[in-house]
Amino acid sequence: MAKVAALTYGEALFELALEKNTLTTMVEEVTFVKEQVTQYPDLVKLLTHPQIAKEEKIQVIEKIFRGQVSDDLTGFLVLIVEKDRAASVVEILNSFLDKAREHEKIGVVFVTSAMTLTQQQKQKVETKLLAITDYVKLEMNYTVDSSLIGGMIIRIGDRIVDNSIRTKLLSMKQGLLKVSLSEN
């Protein structure tokens, strides 16, 4: 249920930004608010505390963000508090950012490799991914997992390409087990 609400609120903020032609600015402001909320988790605790009146929570939002972000975003944050959705604020902001990236054709890519990739290898991966996807820009995230033995795993959204040696070895093992079982 919270995920649906986050998507709905994120979509509403996205539509507002498109309608007012402020998408680029709104992305910057939402990123700023998300950083603040993430950096200060006590803020969410305060905004969700059942013994603190909504009026006080709204005053806190306005004191922190008025003048730092647009009135539209401040008003949106007040609405989230009024509708008792403050516990989902990070998910709502992420939902908005996902919609904005999708609209701008920016893909978020997670690459896990067996060893640290060189700058040249990273550029090659990015160039190849841009060529085979509809994205015009990619936000690349790299991690190293030595248990892969070799190769890499690439995740873009809900798509995964697993070209790791570990997976190939597991696949071969399963194939050999099937062969040995069927021979008996």
Side-chain angles (χ1 to χ4, degrees):
M1 186 69 165
K3 186 170 177 90
V4 173
L7 292 173
T8 303
Y9 279 84
E11 174 81 24
L13 184 60
F14 173 75
E15 292 297 330
L16 175 69
L18 280 183
E19 182 181 307
K20 293 197 169 192
N21 199 26
T22 58
L23 186 60
T24 303
T25 305
M26 190 65 76
V27 166
E28 292 169 5
E29 291 179 355
V30 166
T31 302
F32 169 75
V33 170
K34 181 183 162 195
E35 287 170 358
Q36 297 307 305
V37 170
T38 305
Q39 188 174 354
Y40 302 103
D42 287 345
L43 177 59
V44 175
K45 288 180 186 174
L46 182 138
L47 296 175
T48 57
H49 198 286
Q51 294 179 331
I52 298 176
K54 281 186 184 176
E55 294 76 26
E56 290 181 63
K57 295 173 184 179
I58 290 168
Q59 287 175 355
V60 168
I61 289 290
E62 289 181 344
K63 186 170 185 163
I64 294 172
F65 295 111
R66 181 104 29 223
Q68 298 284 330
V69 297
S70 66
D71 289 346
D72 286 335
L73 184 54
T74 303
F76 182 76
L77 295 170
V78 167
L79 178 70
I80 288 172
V81 169
E82 288 174 344
K83 299 292 184 181
D84 295 319
R85 298 290 184 200
S88 301
V89 68
V90 173
E91 291 83 5
I92 292 169
L93 299 176
N94 281 335
S95 175
F96 166 81
L97 292 171
D98 289 345
K99 287 295 287 181
R101 279 189 208 95
E102 181 182 317
H103 179 76
E104 298 292 323
K105 294 192 176 283
I106 300 171
V108 179
V109 181
F110 296 90
V111 178
T112 305
S113 57
M115 62 171 97
T116 304
L117 299 177
T118 65
Q119 215 39 52
Q120 184 179 4
Q121 290 169 322
K122 288 178 181 179
Q123 186 60 47
K124 207 171 177 180
V125 169
E126 187 173 347
T127 302
K128 180 72 173 176
L129 291 173
L130 282 170
I132 62 173
T133 64
D134 292 333
Y135 297 117
V136 295
K137 185 178 174 190
L138 298 172
E139 290 179 10
M140 303 296 290
N141 300 283
Y142 293 95
T143 56
V144 174
D145 179 356
S146 59
S147 74
L148 296 181
I149 304 170
M152 63 181 68
I153 300 171
I154 300 172
R155 183 172 61 87
I156 304 175
D158 59 357
R159 295 175 287 180
I160 297 176
V161 177
D162 187 340
N163 196 23
S164 66
I165 302 290
R166 177 183 67 192
T167 300
K168 289 179 181 179
L169 288 172
L170 287 172
S171 179
M172 286 174 55
K173 178 182 174 185
Q174 289 172 343
L176 288 172
L177 285 173
K178 285 180 185 176
V179 168
S180 65
L181 289 176
S182 62
E183 289 177 356
N184 293 333

